[in-house]
Amino acid sequence: MRRFGLLLALLAAVGCRDFLNIYDPANNRPPVEPFNPSPAPGSTDLDTLGQVLTWESADPDSIAADALTYDVFFGTQSQPPLVDSNRTVTRYETGRLAVGAMYYWRIIARDTRGDSAAGPVWSFATDDNLVPGVPGNPRPPDGILSRKPGQELAWTGDDPNAGDTLEYDLYFGTDANPPLLVRGLATAGYRPAGQVFGARYYWRVVARDQDSAETSGPTWSFETMAAVQVTRPDAGTRWRGGTTHDITWTGGADGAGSQKSEGRTVKPGVPARRGIRHSPFDTRHSVVPNPGPLPVAADSTIIFYSTDNGSNWERVGRATEGNKFTWSLPPTEAAQARVRVVVHAGADTVAATSPAFEIYRLPSDITVTRPGPGARWRVGSTEAVTWTGGTDGADSTVVFYSPDGGANWSRQGRATEPGRYDWTVAGPETDRGQVEVRAYVADEKVWGRSGLFEAFQFDSIVVTAPTDSSRFRWYSYATFTWDGGSANADSTVVHFRRVDSDPWTRLGRQSAPGRYENYLWPPIEPSVECRVRVTAHRYGLSEEGLSPRFEVYNDSQPSAMTITTPAGGERWAIGSSQVITWLGGTDGVDSTVVLYSTDNGNQWQRQGVARQPGRFEWTVPGPATNLARIGLVAWCLTRQTQALSEQFAVIQP
């Protein structure tokens, strides 16, 4: 018996499942009872737009992939009915709720092994006061353009609770999120002050009942038209009677026809309740947007004109295209004519009047006011030739120029604006320049002529010597040259400085046009940053040119030399003229000696001294030889540098 009992115990031990084995279905543990509900149990005055029910739960066997699902019970009965099952998320959206009702709900959590845990029944109550309806039917319509400033705003509002009274807060401004303008309006309308032309205004209305329940409307907008401004004719306009011209303006409403406009509409439905104002469950109050801004074209744009500075007006016609009217002027004359543009857009009217302008019939006498007698104009500069009289200058006024007091004339161009022509002063230099302005209307012509004036030449200065390769030794002579300035300059002065930080030292005036000669270099501190400045003055104007940086040295060793011509292998004929060239050495003035050998350098014959840096013009002597070479010796006081060319041939001609 004792053995049989032990066997049964052993079998029982073997047959039992290990409760700690979470993967064993027989050891499954039920889910945690749902907890932490929202809304909190017993909540009141909740929004009827809808609530989102949330809760928490867990499963102790979640490590074994024991996922949870939920059954949702919800309704107005104390034992609520099942409304959804097998939910995998811990939230449920109720949809719209009844007014002033008590709601009950509970959750059952289920795992995949068949175990479950039921939560308690929770409850909440909805509000019993309906919020006002969404403000709608805005005037002016939402998105409309081209309204006159000073618009009165109007809207509609209602409240579903019988006997409730409403007041309104108006938000208004040019910001897309407009600020509060006025609070507690008793009527659904208001005219904001300070509206201006050419602005976009945004506005929004919040409706509020006597219990402080509020509903905000959408943000609407409208745009005021730009102020009307007549751009043509302007104060300087002169139009000939009987001709055709465009009257133009900016601002107002575009177009000349009419166009209806509509704003946004609000769908009817049960008003939202106090609480969340824009719940995703509120489908019975939605705003239908416009497809875009609603332009308002002008119902009509009428043009008037006056010949007596605006005392009396006569209707010209109606514009048929935006911001322009082509006008056939009457065959009349008026020194104080004006044009008036009147734009009608719906109930709005805006108008603008042009400055006074002139209507004439024939060209008037021309008086050239610029250039005046004795004027001095620089050749190549742009100067304004001006005059009074003539025509309006369009396609009918031509400017001529004479450099010899009227003996010969050349056409310069046609004026494109009344009384003015921008002229590039023509050369050559002369003190007998004259301008003539000729105005044409059909077969009629008038002209006016300026007095004599001077056209003078004064060009930019470019220093041509010294160059960036120039080198000057103490006590050597230098000549500075330049282009530009003027042969008739009041003065042309040459300055020198050794380095950029030194002040300029005056050397003297030019010795001839474009030249300053025989300057003897004093014993200054050597520098490779020397510069020369040439400054010309004429009629109060100045032109200045700077040389490149160059070198002034004393008795330093001449730099190494390389003969570049002949380079070796040439065949030069006896008696031919050749140019020997090299790099380095000195500046070449009285210091570089040219030697010649016919026997590969054993014996040398002196050919002369270079007069230019790096260059010597040479007439090839006889006899013929295949062993010719050139030698150079550059001297600086007692120091010297030598160079030897490659072999070349001297042949019979």
Side-chain angles (χ1 to χ4, degrees):
M1 285 297 292
R2 188 168 180 271
R3 291 183 179 178
F4 181 73
L6 291 174
L7 178 60
L8 289 177
L10 179 60
L11 290 174
V14 172
C16 291
R17 299 172 182 239
D18 185 358
F19 184 77
L20 297 177
N21 181 3
I22 60 175
Y23 298 98
D24 189 341
N27 292 326
N28 183 63
R29 290 173 288 184
V32 175
E33 179 180 312
F35 64 99
N36 194 23
S38 178
S43 298
T44 60
D45 295 330
L46 296 189
D47 200 332
T48 59
L49 290 178
Q51 297 296 319
V52 178
L53 309 181
T54 63
W55 61 92
E56 294 183 30
S57 184
D59 192 288
D61 301 320
S62 58
I63 193 172
D66 204 359
L68 295 181
T69 59
Y70 304 96
D71 295 343
V72 180
F73 296 79
F74 177 76
T76 56
Q77 301 92 333
S78 59
Q79 294 298 320
L82 177 67
V83 293
D84 198 3
S85 60
N86 294 320
R87 292 185 67 82
T88 59
V89 295
T90 58
R91 58 183 281 130
Y92 176 75
E93 298 168 357
T94 67
R96 183 175 294 278
L97 303 175
V99 176
M102 178 69 74
Y103 284 90
Y104 302 87
W105 62 294
R106 70 181 303 193
I107 304 297
I108 296 178
R110 300 183 187 276
D111 64 16
T112 56
R113 310 296 184 182
D115 283 336
S116 63
V121 176
W122 299 308
S123 65
F124 61 85
T126 58
D127 194 2
D128 58 0
N129 177 46
L130 295 174
V131 297
V134 179
N137 300 316
R139 302 299 298 175
D142 182 27
I144 199 166
L145 307 179
S146 301
R147 306 301 289 183
K148 183 179 179 180
Q151 291 294 305
E152 181 175 6
L153 310 181
W155 60 92
T156 59
D158 57 22
D159 192 291
N161 295 114
D164 278 7
T165 59
L166 293 179
E167 63 179 21
Y168 303 96
D169 296 343
L170 175 62
Y171 294 77
F172 180 84
T174 56
D175 193 281
N177 184 20
L180 178 66
L181 177 64
V182 61
R183 182 178 179 88
L185 290 171
T187 59
Y190 189 78
R191 188 188 302 274
Q195 299 176 44
V196 298
F197 284 101
R200 176 173 289 278
Y201 290 101
Y202 299 86
W203 60 294
R204 179 171 63 89
V205 175
V206 175
R208 182 172 51 253
D209 66 15
Q210 73 275 11
D211 295 322
S212 298
E214 295 181 349
T215 298
S216 174
T219 298
W220 301 308
S221 69
F222 67 92
E223 185 175 310
T224 58
M225 66 181 72
V228 178
Q229 181 176 358
V230 178
T231 54
R232 187 76 172 164
D234 57 23
T237 297
R238 300 180 68 249
W239 284 345
R240 182 168 60 90
T243 60
T244 299
H245 294 274
D246 285 338
I247 297 171
T248 60
W249 61 93
T250 59
D254 296 332
S258 64
Q259 178 178 337
K260 293 178 68 178
S261 60
E262 297 181 2
R264 299 179 175 177
T265 59
V266 178
K267 292 183 178 179
V270 178
R273 295 194 56 78
R274 183 168 54 194
I276 301 174
R277 294 289 174 259
H278 303 287
S279 169
F281 311 113
D282 183 9
T283 60
R284 289 181 285 172
H285 278 272
S286 58
V287 176
V288 181
N290 280 320
L294 300 174
V296 173
D299 297 325
S300 63
T301 300
I302 310 300
I303 312 301
F304 299 83
Y305 89 100
S306 170
T307 58
D308 54 7
N309 203 29
S311 297
N312 297 281
W313 293 96
E314 182 176 343
R315 188 181 190 275
V316 175
R318 174 175 173 169
T320 58
E321 54 184 313
N323 301 97
K324 185 175 79 170
F325 178 81
T326 301
W327 181 30
S328 294
L329 278 72
T332 186
E333 290 183 329
Q336 293 289 314
R338 287 181 182 266
V339 164
R340 185 169 178 81
V341 178
V342 181
V343 179
H344 302 274
D348 296 333
T349 300
V350 292
T353 302
S354 75
F357 65 98
E358 181 181 356
I359 300 175
Y360 66 94
R361 298 191 62 181
L362 292 175
S364 56
D365 291 338
I366 293 176
T367 301
V368 177
T369 54
R370 195 169 187 269
R376 294 188 179 111
W377 283 358
R378 182 175 179 175
V379 173
S381 66
T382 299
E383 300 287 349
V385 178
T386 60
W387 61 92
T388 59
T391 67
D392 61 1
D395 301 322
S396 56
T397 303
V398 183
V399 177
F400 291 80
Y401 170 63
S402 171
D404 51 13
N408 296 281
W409 294 95
S410 60
R411 186 181 187 276
Q412 301 300 296
R414 184 174 60 195
T416 58
E417 57 181 306
R420 179 188 176 99
Y421 178 76
D422 291 329
W423 178 45
T424 301
V425 181
E429 185 168 301
T430 178
D431 59 0
R432 294 181 58 76
Q434 207 164 13
V435 165
E436 185 174 280
V437 179
R438 304 174 190 175
Y440 302 86
V441 175
D443 296 330
E444 300 290 334
K445 179 183 78 171
V446 295
W447 57 272
R449 187 175 292 180
S450 74
L452 295 178
F453 67 95
E454 181 179 354
F456 64 92
Q457 198 83 30
F458 197 40
D459 299 327
S460 299
I461 295 176
V462 177
V463 177
T464 55
T467 67
D468 56 1
S469 61
S470 297
R471 302 178 70 245
F472 299 101
R473 182 170 50 83
W474 290 359
Y475 304 115
S476 63
Y477 287 93
T479 295
F480 308 139
T481 61
W482 59 89
D483 296 327
S486 173
N488 298 315
D490 297 334
S491 66
T492 302
V493 181
V494 180
H495 291 79
F496 165 78
R497 70 181 178 195
R498 190 182 61 83
V499 293
D500 289 347
S501 59
D502 285 354
W504 289 98
T505 300
R506 187 180 188 277
L507 302 184
R509 291 193 175 191
Q510 65 179 7
S511 51
R515 297 179 68 83
Y516 182 80
E517 299 176 322
N518 297 323
Y519 176 68
L520 179 64
W521 285 106
I524 63 174
E525 183 178 349
S527 172
V528 296
E529 297 183 1
C530 299
R531 299 190 86 167
V532 165
R533 184 183 73 187
V534 178
T535 306
H537 304 276
R538 190 173 191 188
Y539 297 145
L541 302 176
S542 296
E543 285 291 339
E544 182 177 284
L546 289 177
S547 74
R549 291 177 173 82
F550 59 92
E551 182 180 0
V552 173
Y553 64 95
N554 52 18
D555 60 347
S556 61
Q557 180 77 29
S559 62
M561 292 187 293
T562 300
I563 298 175
T564 53
T565 306
E570 289 89 347
R571 296 175 62 81
W572 287 350
I574 296 173
S576 64
S577 296
Q578 304 293 335
V579 178
I580 299 169
T581 62
W582 62 92
L583 301 174
T586 67
D587 61 4
V589 180
D590 298 324
S591 56
T592 302
V593 179
V594 180
L595 305 174
Y596 171 58
S597 172
T598 59
D599 56 3
N600 198 28
N602 290 323
Q603 296 183 6
W604 294 95
Q605 303 172 24
R606 190 177 188 274
Q607 302 297 298
V609 176
R611 298 299 178 183
Q612 295 176 264
R615 177 186 177 92
F616 181 77
E617 296 181 1
W618 181 46
T619 300
V620 181
T625 177
N626 290 324
L627 301 176
R629 300 186 82 168
I630 293 294
L632 297 175
V633 180
W635 294 89
C636 184
L637 297 181
T638 60
R639 302 181 182 183
Q640 63 169 266
T641 298
Q642 300 181 2
L644 188 64
S645 76
E646 299 295 330
Q647 289 184 0
F648 62 96
V650 174
I651 60 175
Q652 292 293 336

